[in-house]
Each structure stands twice: as C-alpha cells, then as structure tokens.
Amino acid sequence: MTRFLACLLIVASFAAPVRAERVLVFAAASLAGPLDEVTELWEAETGHEVVISYAGSSALARQIEAGAPADIFLSANPGWMDDLAGKGLIETSSRRNIWTNRLALVSFRPGAGIGIDADMDLEGMLDGRRLAVALTDAVPAGLYAKAALTQLGLWLSVKDQLAEADNVRAALALVATGAVPYGIVYRTDAHAEPRAHLRGLFPKDSHPPIVYPGAATLDAQSEAHAFLGFLMTEAAQAVFDEAGFQRADPE
C-alpha cells in the first residue's frame, strides 16, 4: 500500500499543471504594435501572460527607479538603460541590443520627398506653426531630434516653435490629427500611422545611433528571461522587420 501511494504521488506531481506566470514589460512607446503582436505569439506558445506598459523611456526608467515592479525594460536608447545599470536595477548579463531605427520627418499633408540637410528651410516650412517632437530633454526620440537639428544647424531657428509631447507616439498623433504640419518621429512610427506622411530621413551621422536595448530587472520573474530570449528569435524579429525596424548587433 505504501508503495502504491508513493507511485500515485509521483504520477500526480508530473500531471500537475505548470502555473502560468505574469510578465510585466516596460516598453518604449515606439514599440507598440509589433511588440503586441509578438506578445500574442509568445502567450499562445507558453500559456504565460505578458502585460505591457508603454511610455517614454525616461518615464519608465524613473518608475523602475522608484520601485515599479517591472520584469523587463525595453528602452529606445542606451542612455536610460545605462542609468538603471549604474544603479544596480537590471541584470546586466541579460542586456541585449535588439533593434535599430531611423529618425524621420513626417507631415500631415502628403508631398514629395524632402532632402534633409543643412540647407533645409524648416522654419519656412513651418510658416509660423509648430513642429511636433517628443520631450527634447528626456525622451529618446526628442533627444535624437535635438541632436540632429543641432548638427544640421537648424536648432536655433525652430527651438521656439516646438510642440513637445510626453512620448514619440503622442508627437506622432499631433501630426496625424493635423494639429501641427510637421513632426520628427521614428521611421517605424510613420509606418504605423497612415495619416502621417513620411517626407524624409535624417542622415544617420546627424545624431547618435538609434538602438533599442532590452534587459531583465533585478527582481524579474523567471519567465521574463524566456520572453526576452523570444524577442531575439527569427519569428519575433520577422514581425519587427515587417514594422520597419532593423535588427541590431546584440552586443
């Protein structure tokens, strides 16, 4: 009888379902869309749940610093990831560069391509109206925009005509609704919003490289590492390829 009960316990232990875990991802706003699609693939494959909080990378990093229970941080630039690493809030061994992007000029009205260089008359194009950008002192898309405009010698002529938004998708919405005639966002944002028209790409050397690193936080759930690894798979990367992202060197 004792041996029989022991066998039943062994069988029961193998039959017990694996408890589904909930992974909380803090992700840069520009990842909305393809990240949602990839999340659905992973949830269907594993049975685990992923909850995504989208915002500007700066706001998300500050929330993690304040103790928010994120398992994964996906940033739109290395700077905010470096900040968390310096404070000992991410598992540095889990950190990977996952995607890259391009900085783009978009408009509410369609039109011909615009050569973006030092000779572009951006002030004249605005004609007294405002240029939508993400926060230029904190949000990655805004930091890249300021760097590019400064390098091209255009910053001083337009800095007082900016409509700054909390994140890049909010800046995109200002253009898409016609609240402003032009905006500086990522190429992938223009891909995601048919009401905003891509007019040109900023030269790559006009701003720091746009790289999206991802990492697990120090107190991450066990399945967070599995989800982070899934983002590097061919199935996941193909979704981001379709959305206009480019694959980064993971190191």
Side-chain angles (χ1 to χ4, degrees), residues 108-135:
F108 174 63
R109 298 188 183 282
I114 297 172
I116 300 179
D117 54 28
D119 295 325
M120 179 174 65
D121 183 15
L122 185 55
E123 183 181 14
M125 290 162 52
L126 292 172
D127 192 25
R129 298 186 68 187
R130 294 193 174 273
L131 174 70
V133 293
L135 294 171

Side-chain angles (χ1 to χ4, degrees), residues 149-168:
L149 292 172
T150 300
Q151 198 277 336
L152 294 173
L154 303 174
W155 173 253
L156 293 179
S157 67
V158 299
K159 68 182 182 67
D160 294 327
Q161 293 179 251
L162 302 180
E164 299 198 32
D166 287 342
N167 59 68
V168 71

Side-chain angles (χ1 to χ4, degrees), residues 81 171 175 181 220:
M81 189 68 77
V175 179

Side-chain angles (χ1 to χ4, degrees), residues 86-107:
K87 294 178 170 67
L89 295 174
I90 64 166
E91 293 186 24
T92 54
S93 62
S94 71
R95 180 173 176 171
R96 297 288 184 274
N97 291 332
I98 308 177
W99 309 283
T100 67
N101 213 332
R102 292 290 302 276
L103 195 65
L105 180 71
V106 294
S107 66

Side-chain angles (χ1 to χ4, degrees), residues 5-251:
L5 289 174
C7 289
L8 283 179
L9 288 172
I10 292 172
V11 171
S13 67
F14 280 108
V18 176
R19 184 175 65 85
E21 289 196 16
R22 177 177 176 271
V23 178
L24 178 57
V25 178
F26 277 20
S30 53
L31 295 173
L35 184 58
D36 297 306
E37 187 175 340
V38 167
T39 292
E40 290 178 3
L41 293 175
W42 191 75
E43 288 179 331
E45 182 176 302
T46 66
H48 298 299
E49 179 187 8
V50 176
V51 176
I52 306 173
S53 176
Y54 290 111
S57 299
S58 54
L60 296 172
R62 288 166 180 156
Q63 289 175 35
I64 293 173
E65 288 179 23
D71 295 303
I72 292 173
F73 179 41
L74 301 175
S75 177
N77 81 340
W80 287 108
M81 189 68 77
D82 292 342
D83 184 67
L84 293 184
K87 294 178 170 67
L89 295 174
I90 64 166
E91 293 186 24
T92 54
S93 62
S94 71
R95 180 173 176 171
R96 297 288 184 274
N97 291 332
I98 308 177
W99 309 283
T100 67
N101 213 332
R102 292 290 302 276
L103 195 65
L105 180 71
V106 294
S107 66
F108 174 63
R109 298 188 183 282
I114 297 172
I116 300 179
D117 54 28
D119 295 325
M120 179 174 65
D121 183 15
L122 185 55
E123 183 181 14
M125 290 162 52
L126 292 172
D127 192 25
R129 298 186 68 187
R130 294 193 174 273
L131 174 70
V133 293
L135 294 171
T136 57
D137 63 348
V139 177
L143 295 171
Y144 294 129
K146 182 177 180 179
L149 292 172
T150 300
Q151 198 277 336
L152 294 173
L154 303 174
W155 173 253
L156 293 179
S157 67
V158 299
K159 68 182 182 67
D160 294 327
Q161 293 179 251
L162 302 180
E164 299 198 32
D166 287 342
N167 59 68
V168 71
R169 287 298 174 90
L172 178 68
L174 291 175
V175 179
T177 57
V180 299
Y182 292 94
I184 299 176
V185 296
Y186 297 125
R187 175 176 59 186
T188 52
D189 297 312
H191 187 280
E193 175 51 81
R195 295 175 298 169
H197 302 278
L198 177 64
R199 303 297 297 278
L201 298 176
F202 283 80
K204 288 184 177 181
D205 61 2
S206 67
H207 56 80
I210 300 173
V211 178
Y212 291 73
T217 62
L218 209 57
D219 299 320
Q221 300 285 334
S222 60
E223 287 303 319
H225 294 275
F227 181 70
L228 197 57
F230 184 73
L231 294 178
M232 305 295 293
T233 64
E234 180 60 32
Q237 292 282 18
V239 173
F240 280 89
D241 291 346
E242 182 67 23
F245 287 87
Q246 295 174 304
R247 305 182 189 195
D249 182 340
E251 298 302 325

